Amino acid sequence: MGVAVFGSFMYDLMIEAPRRPDLGETLRGTAFRRSVGGKGFNQAVGAARAGASTAMIGMLGDDPFGQEFRNALESEGIDATHVWECSEQQSGTGVGMPVIFPDGNNSIIIVPRANMEIGPEHADQSKEAIQDADVLLMQLEVPVEAVMRAAEIAHEANTKVVLNPAPFRELPPRIWSHIDLFTPNEGELRAFASSLGMGADGSIHDLAAAFAKRMDVELVVTLGDQGAFHVTPDGHTDRVEGHQVHAVDTVGAGDTFCGALCAQLAEGVAMHEALAFANAAAAISVTRAGSGTSAPHKKEVQAALEAGGAGKIEVS
C-alpha cells in the first residue's frame, strides 16, 4: 500500500458570492454547487490521482451524502475497507459550507458530525492498513485521540507519519515523537508556534527553522501561490516557487498538495522533486471548480511540468 489517509469526510455545499456579507446582512450569491469533500477525502483523492495505491480510514453517516462518498471512493479506486458509518439519527455525514469569492479565495464553515465519532478503537481496527502503508497522512478534522493512536501504530511499524495540522488544534506533547513530517500553511505554523510560547512574528522561514529544531520534526510549509518550502531540524532548507495561474476555486488546493506530496514520498521520490510535483498539482487544482474532485491526475502534472519548465507551469 502506498498511502493510508486517516481523516475526514465533509460534504461541501458551496456558494459563490461577490464578497463576505456584513453582520446581519442578506447577500445575494451568484452560484451554488455541491461536491464530496473534506480534508481526509480530498487528500485521499489527491494521492490516488497522483498514482498511489490509497486507503481511506474514516466515518460516514448512513445517509445520502454518505452513499455519494462511497460511490466516489469506488470510482477513484480508493480502498474503503475501513470506512465506517453511524446512523443518520446518531450523527450524519459531515458537511462543509465554503463561500468562494471572485478571486478564487474562500471562507469555510464545517459541521463535523460523523467525523467526531471516530476514535482510537477505529485506529486499532485499521491497524493492518496503517502498518502496510508507506505513508500515513492525517489532519485534524477528527478527534485528536484517534489521530494520536493512528500515529502510534504507524510509528511502531516504521510507516512515515505526515500530519497536516488543519484546522488548528492544540496537540498532546507526546505526538511530536511520532510525527515525521508536519505540513502547515503559514497561518497554522504561526498559530502552533504561538501556542508553544514561541514568537510567532517575523520571517516565516526563520520561524519554520526554529520550530523544526525545537520540535525535532521536518516541516513542509505551504505558501499558496508563493510555493512551498521544506526545512529539517538541522536547518537544511529547500524551496519551490509558486506558479501564476488563473484561480477559479482554491477549495481543496492544500489537500491536493498534501495528497500528491505523500504519493511521491511513498514512491521514494526525493523531497525537492516531490515538492515540485505537489506544488504543480495544487496549481492545476485551483484552475478548476470543486474540492477534492479538482485534483489532477499524475500524467497531467507531469505534462504541465515538462511544458512549463523551471518556475513556470502551463495549464490548459
Side-chain angles (χ1 to χ4, degrees):
M1 183 65 68
V3 178
V5 179
F6 189 95
S8 58
F9 296 92
M10 299 286 181
Y11 193 87
D12 286 334
L13 304 169
M14 294 177 283
I15 295 170
E16 294 183 16
R19 57 176 173 81
R20 289 181 176 86
D22 294 329
L23 186 65
E25 178 188 13
T26 298
L27 179 68
R28 181 173 179 174
T30 56
F32 169 78
R33 59 182 183 274
R34 307 180 307 170
S35 175
V36 285
K39 292 187 179 300
F41 174 79
N42 292 348
Q43 291 177 9
V45 172
R49 291 189 179 182
S53 178
T54 304
M56 181 71 199
I57 303 164
M59 183 76 71
L60 291 167
D62 180 16
D63 53 26
F65 290 168
Q67 188 56 55
E68 281 197 47
F69 273 111
R70 290 196 177 276
N71 294 342
L73 289 166
E74 182 177 3
S75 69
E76 296 290 345
I78 297 170
D79 184 348
T81 302
H82 299 290
V83 175
W84 292 272
E85 64 182 36
C86 52
S87 69
E88 187 172 8
Q89 291 72 28
Q90 179 185 7
S91 194
T93 299
V95 293
M97 300 178 185
V99 181
I100 302 157
F101 304 107
D103 63 358
N105 287 312
N106 64 82
S107 295
I108 305 174
I109 297 174
I110 63 170
V111 186
R113 305 177 83 201
N115 293 296
M116 300 310 293
E117 303 297 330
I118 194 164
E121 68 276 14
H122 297 102
D124 286 323
Q125 291 173 42
S126 55
K127 184 174 183 177
E128 185 175 344
I130 294 171
Q131 291 177 329
D132 287 348
D134 296 299
V135 177
L136 172 67
L137 173 57
M138 304 182 294
Q139 329 78 36
L140 298 177
E141 286 183 336
V142 297
V144 171
E145 297 79 9
V147 171
M148 181 70 235
R149 181 58 187 143
E152 289 174 344
I153 292 169
H155 183 73
E156 291 165 2
N158 292 319
T159 295
K160 187 177 185 70
V161 179
V162 179
L163 177 61
N164 176 229
F168 167 77
R169 298 171 70 181
E170 292 195 9
L171 298 173
R174 61 194 179 97
I175 199 172
W176 294 103
S177 63
H178 296 83
I179 298 172
D180 297 301
L181 183 63
F182 192 60
T183 63
N185 62 25
E186 180 174 353
E188 290 154 0
L189 178 57
R190 292 191 188 278
F192 274 98
S194 180
S195 73
L196 293 168
M198 301 174 63
D201 298 326
S203 163
I204 190 63
H205 296 87
D206 292 343
L207 180 61
F211 190 97
K213 183 176 181 179
R214 174 168 172 173
M215 307 310 295
D216 192 26
V217 66
E218 289 187 51
L219 268 68
V220 166
V221 183
T222 57
L223 302 172
D225 61 5
Q226 300 302 305
F229 67 94
H230 170 236
V231 59
T232 64
D234 63 4
H236 173 76
T237 60
D238 191 9
R239 177 166 184 167
V240 291
E241 297 295 329
H243 300 293
Q244 299 305 309
V245 297
H246 175 64
V248 172
D249 183 353
T250 60
V251 176
D255 299 328
T256 294
F257 179 97
C258 289
L261 177 68
C262 288
Q264 290 278 288
L265 296 177
E267 282 188 29
V269 175
M271 179 58 78
H272 182 77
E273 287 74 19
L275 279 178
F277 182 95
N279 194 41
I284 295 171
S285 77
V286 304
T287 67
R288 303 167 178 174
S291 47
T293 54
S294 66
H297 290 83
K298 185 175 183 178
K299 288 183 179 179
E300 294 179 81
V301 181
Q302 291 173 329
L305 285 171
E306 290 170 3
K312 298 189 297 182
I313 189 168
E314 296 295 334
V315 179
S316 59

